[in-house]
């Protein structure tokens, strides 16, 4: 697929119109998304209007922005004014936000064109997009396999060539894990660099919006468009966002790369082999690669599955049938709330609300939530320690390649293990990227992960650019749309 | 027997009440605590709302700096230690809470460890004064007007997200009267700091009382929390009821259960709402959408400078205007009223303009204090002019009160208002003519008066009023009579 930056350049220079690009992608979605089910809503009219506006600016000699005319998919937990925003849940039935998320506004201001809302695990809780009330998304590389999750729709849309860019949210790996499973680039920024205003919360202290793309440069460009202080988000960092575009090609000569055992041991041998291969690439490019160990990372998953559900149990309280979305009547207000939540939430969401409620309950708080917060602090300290001897860390993104649909739906613990390599970065608030690095013997994509300390996005993108240039060639997915072409 | 505020009311069979008050006060900010919606009472329902205060999916709170400012003013006035603080979420389901959790401060409040000195000299400890958001307002339609038997309920979210400070006293209060003094004094402080308008009737100041009884020097007894106290009068009545209820329970060999109780103003009793076992588990945890509040020292000192003189100092100043009289109980009460209503500036200006302090105090503490908001907005020159008319006898006290009511109602020139009522003061000449006629008509009475029968002052004054259709000033008539007698 033509990269987003190339498309934008064509539009800005007047070579190709935004309308032509958007029409091409809408046609691809109409033709191919039946098999993939990446989209929950396709915004034909709004996208055409926006493309026409971009073309009008170009014709008037004005700059429509760095992503001029580039079609973008938005995970359906990002609020879009007047457009249904479902979180793949029945409980938001019929609800249209009266406002746009900050990232949606910034994308529009950069000339990007939102073409649709993408599928996800309900309220971003899951690792396979099977927890969607509207049916699963298929992995473009193997229709009987999951795309990963929770941003499976966005990952699959980019993977199949339906859009060159998409947004996801990453609470415990929900961008990086599906990116790895679908063979695309997926990046989680430093907590606080991208505004969460208008992102429907799963776990507020962990959620962060990030880009999906086919190239590292596209991901960096999309990140830069989104990043920067937002007065509507108190956790948004009040400082200029780190700039990466100017240093993408600076290479890794002299960089120190750590290989934490905890992000490699225990993953499938084929995945581990790709990480080792990536390490060799960096070594050959002049980096110093050192194996290391950060034992605290092993506790990340346990801490995460207390903290995230605890916050979620509170964040999801507001879906009570009183003000918006689904309402199932009851004899009194309490019965109405009960019936609404019983009918509106799926099994995984209920499971996490129960877990989180329990973890915060009187008498259990210290043992669960309190203890998990301490573990979180230990993990942050352990990362800080590791970054005294390394500029970046390299590891696997996921323990395995894409697993078959239905394989883990009845085994939540097995599903949770999908996040083992990604969760630590969320707990620490650090940036991390997954980039495609070859496939397994069955031709399923493998992702390798580059991690760095807070606000070190430029380093992450630099290292990823080197890996990208040496990655094994990408083959077209089985469900590729007409718009797909090799990066 | 009169209860002495500040001392124990342990007259009730030797039981000592132990009382602590939790006072919620709405801050007078322009906008709400976490969004830009207007903070206003009485607007059309659900007009001051936005995605944030409606808790719409994806919305996020942003703390109002002015609310922090006001909270620190309250803390400063209550001699609290002001600390870096944190918001928590208090989770429970209720339809008037848009997010089904309330953002409130929990174990790291902004103000801790203060105290409040009452007019009687007693001191009540203040455990904490923390920030939180208000809920919406529910009206239950049908049934008994409570949520459980209502046909349906209407919710107004205009109040949702209005900034509150909750001031929690230590259990240092020992009588219902002392509780009243504390609440009134606190109200004066809230108004003085500019943080709140302290209007109990509009719910901008709400009081809950924790009441227990014990034998003096025993351990604390089991407490009950009384809610729905909408006036100082309810506060006093509810506490007195609750004390005697608990004493009855204990004296008949029972035990007081820890409960939340509702004050029923009509029945004059408290009714159990829920027991300790039924209490909500609020599952407090740090609010991840907000960051720690760490006011720097510059801000803190600006706040300290912005906090005006406190009621105690202001009462002292007014008392000084009255001289030795200022110390009497009756005058002290009036002074307290003037300060409580924030009218000390009005009164002081009148006194400095030559109005006698007792007259200025009487009008300010009574008529002006009946309409405190309007009185605070009063033109001091007009107020002084009116008091001068009363002082020099051109208006009687009754007439002055009528004109003052007008002045409070719609402002204007007091002389013109007096004319509108036909209160043209009788000039000295016409009064003199009236008295000439009275003497001529009642020669025997006049002789007895001249011979020293002062009781006849009343007779002549009454006749003068009658003759002038109440326009004469009684004092002026008496003075004229005295002058003629020589």
């Amino acid at each position: 697929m033509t990269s987003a930056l190339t498309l934008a350049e064509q539009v800005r220079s007047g070579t190709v119109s935004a309308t032509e690009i958007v029409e091409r992608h809408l046609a691809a979605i109409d033709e191919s998304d039946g098999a993939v089910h990446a989209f929950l809503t396709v915004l034909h009219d709004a996208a055409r209007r926006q493309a026409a506006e971009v073309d009008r600016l170009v014709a008037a000699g004005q700059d429509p922005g760095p992503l001029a005319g580039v079609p973008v998919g938005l995970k359906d937990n990002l609020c879009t004014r007047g457009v249904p925003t479902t979180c793949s849940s029945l409980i938001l039935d019929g609800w249209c936000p009266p406002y746009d998320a900050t990232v949606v506004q910034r994308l529009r201001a950069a000339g990007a064109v939102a073409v649709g809302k993408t599928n996800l695990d309900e309220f971003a809780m899951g690792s396979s997009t099977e927890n969607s009330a509207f049916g699963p998304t298929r992995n473009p590389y193997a229709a009987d396999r999951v795309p990963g999750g929770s941003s499976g729709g966005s990952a699959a849309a980019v993977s199949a060539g339906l859009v060159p860019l998409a947004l996801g949210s990453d609470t415990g790996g929900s961008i990086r894990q599906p990116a790895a499973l679908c063979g695309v680039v997926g990046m989680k920024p430093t907590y606080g660099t991208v505004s969460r205003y208008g992102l429907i919360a799963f776990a507020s202290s962990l959620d962060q919006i990030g880009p999906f793309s086919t190239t590292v440069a596209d991901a960096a460009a999309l990140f830069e468009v989104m990043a920067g202080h937002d007065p509507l988000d108190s956790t948004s960092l009040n400082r200029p966002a780190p700039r990466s575009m100017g240093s993408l090609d600076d290479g890794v000569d002299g960089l120190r790369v750590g290989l934490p055992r905890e992000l490699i041991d225990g993953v499938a041998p084929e995945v581990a082999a790709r990480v080792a291969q990536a390490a060799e690439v960096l070594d050959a490019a002049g980096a110093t690669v050192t194996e290391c160990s950060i034992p605290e990372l092993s506790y990340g998953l346990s801490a995460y599955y207390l903290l995230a559900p605890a916050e979620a149990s509170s964040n999801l309280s507001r879906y009570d049938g009183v003000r918006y979305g689904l309402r199932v009547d009851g004899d009194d207000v309490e019965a109405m709330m009960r019936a609404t939540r019983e009918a509106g939430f799926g099994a995984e969401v209920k499971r996490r609300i129960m877990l989180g409620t329990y973890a915060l309950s009187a008498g259990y708080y210290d043992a669960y939530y309190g203890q998990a917060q301490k573990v979180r602090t230990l993990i942050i300290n352990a990362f800080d320690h590791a970054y005294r001897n390394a500029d970046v860390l390299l590891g696997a993104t996921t323990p395995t390649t894409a697993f078959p649909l239905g394989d883990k739906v009845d085994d939540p613990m097995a599903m949770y293990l999908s996040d083992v390599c990604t969760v630590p970065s969320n707990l620490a608030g650090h940036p991390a990227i997954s980039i495609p690095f070859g496939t397994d013997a069955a031709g399923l994509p493998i992702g390798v992960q580059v991690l760095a300390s807070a606000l070190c996005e430029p380093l992450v993108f630099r290292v990823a650019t080197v890996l990208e240039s040496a990655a094994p060639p990408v083959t077209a997915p089985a469900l590729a749309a007409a718009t797909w072409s090799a990066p | 027997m009169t209860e002495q505020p500040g001392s124990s009311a342990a007259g009730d069979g030797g039981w000592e009440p132990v009382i602590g008050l939790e006072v919620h006060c709405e801050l007078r900010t322009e906008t709400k605590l976490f969004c830009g919606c207007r903070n206003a009472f009485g607007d059309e329902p659900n007009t001051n709302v936005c995605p944030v205060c409606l808790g719409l999916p994806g919305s996020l709170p942003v703390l109002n700096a002015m609310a922090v400012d006001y909270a620190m003013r309250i803390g400063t006035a209550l001699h609290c230690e002001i600390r870096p603080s944190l918001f928590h979420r208090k989770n429970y389901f209720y339809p008037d809470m848009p997010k089904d959790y309330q953002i409130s401060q929990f174990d790291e409040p902004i103000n801790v460890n203060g105290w409040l000195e009452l007019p009687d000299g007693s001191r009540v400890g203040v455990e904490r004064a923390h920030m939180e958001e208000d809920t919406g307002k529910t009206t239950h339609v049908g049934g008994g007007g409570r949520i459980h038997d209502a046909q349906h309920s209407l919710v107004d979210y205009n109040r949702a997200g209005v900034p509150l400070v909750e001031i929690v006293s230590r259990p240092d209060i020992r009588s219902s009267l002392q509780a009243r003094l504390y609440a009134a004094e606190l109200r004066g402080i809230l108004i003085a700091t500019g943080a709140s308008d302290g209007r109990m009737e509009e719910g901008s100041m709400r009081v809950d009382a924790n009441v227990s009884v014990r034998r003096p020097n025993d351990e604390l007894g089991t407490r009950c929390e009384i809610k729905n106290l909408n006036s100082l009068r309810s506060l006093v009545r509810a506490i007195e009821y609750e004390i005697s209820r608990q004493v009855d329970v204990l004296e008949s060999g029972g035990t007081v259960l820890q409960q939340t109780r509702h004050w029923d103003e009509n029945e004059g009793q408290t009714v159990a709402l829920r027991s300790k076992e039924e209490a909500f588990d609020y599952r407090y945890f740090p609010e991840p959408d907000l960051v720690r509040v760490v006011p720097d020292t510059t801000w803190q000192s600006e706040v300290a400078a912005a906090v005006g003189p406190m009621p105690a100092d202001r009462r002292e100043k007014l008392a000084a205007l009255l001289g030795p009289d200022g110390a009497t109980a009756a005058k002290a009460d009036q002074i307290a009223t003037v300060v409580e209503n924030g009218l000390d500036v009005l009164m002081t200006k009148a006194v400095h303009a030559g109005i006698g302090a007792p007259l200025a105090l009487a009008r300010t503490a009574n008529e002006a204090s009946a309409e405190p908001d309007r009185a605070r907005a009063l033109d001091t020159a007009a107020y002084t002019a009116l008091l001068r008319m009363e002082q020099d006898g051109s208006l009687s006290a009754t007439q002055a009160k009528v004109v003052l009511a007008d002045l409070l109602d719609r402002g204007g020139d007091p002389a013109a208002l007096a004319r509108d009522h036909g209160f043209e003061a009788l000039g000295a000449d016409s009064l003199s003519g009236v008295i000439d006629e009275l003497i001529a008509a009642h020669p025997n009475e006049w002789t007895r008066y001249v011979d020293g029968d002062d009781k006849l002052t009343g007779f002549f004054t009454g006749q003068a009023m009658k003759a002038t259709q109440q326009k004469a000033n009684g004092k002026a008539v008496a003075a004229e009579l005295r002058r003629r007698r020589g």
Side-chain angles (χ1 to χ4, degrees), chain B residues 88-107:
Chain B
H88 274 61
R89 289 188 187 174
K90 181 179 182 179
N91 295 284
Y92 64 101
F93 285 88
Y94 204 79
D96 67 11
M97 278 212 307
K99 304 180 292 296
D100 288 296
Y101 58 79
Q102 181 192 26
I103 304 178
S104 175
Q105 297 195 312
F106 179 51
D107 55 0

Side-chain angles (χ1 to χ4, degrees), chain A residues 332-354:
Chain A
D332 56 24
V333 70
E334 204 176 296
M336 183 278 286
M337 288 178 171
R338 233 178 253 279
T340 300
R341 292 167 67 81
E342 170 63 34
F345 289 136
E348 182 61 27
V349 170
K350 286 177 187 161
R351 181 179 295 121
R352 297 205 195 184
I353 290 174
M354 297 286 285

Side-chain angles (χ1 to χ4, degrees), chain A residues 300-346:
Chain A
L301 202 65
S302 309
Y304 172 83
Y305 274 98
L306 287 167
L307 296 175
E311 292 184 19
S313 71
S314 174
N315 282 330
L316 271 62
S317 293
R318 68 190 68 190
Y319 308 107
D320 59 9
V322 173
R323 289 160 298 273
Y324 47 78
L326 183 71
R327 175 186 288 185
V328 179
D329 283 331
D331 287 340
D332 56 24
V333 70
E334 204 176 296
M336 183 278 286
M337 288 178 171
R338 233 178 253 279
T340 300
R341 292 167 67 81
E342 170 63 34
F345 289 136

Side-chain angles (χ1 to χ4, degrees), chain A residues 23-37:
Chain A
E23 289 296 348
R24 201 158 71 214
H25 286 87
L26 287 172
I29 293 169
D30 291 342
E31 179 166 333
S32 304
D33 196 45
V36 183
H37 194 223

Side-chain angles (χ1 to χ4, degrees), chain A residues 443-460:
Chain A
L444 296 169
I446 290 172
V448 297
Q449 193 183 190
V450 179
L451 301 78
S453 192
L455 298 169
C456 292
E457 274 81 357
L459 265 182
V460 167

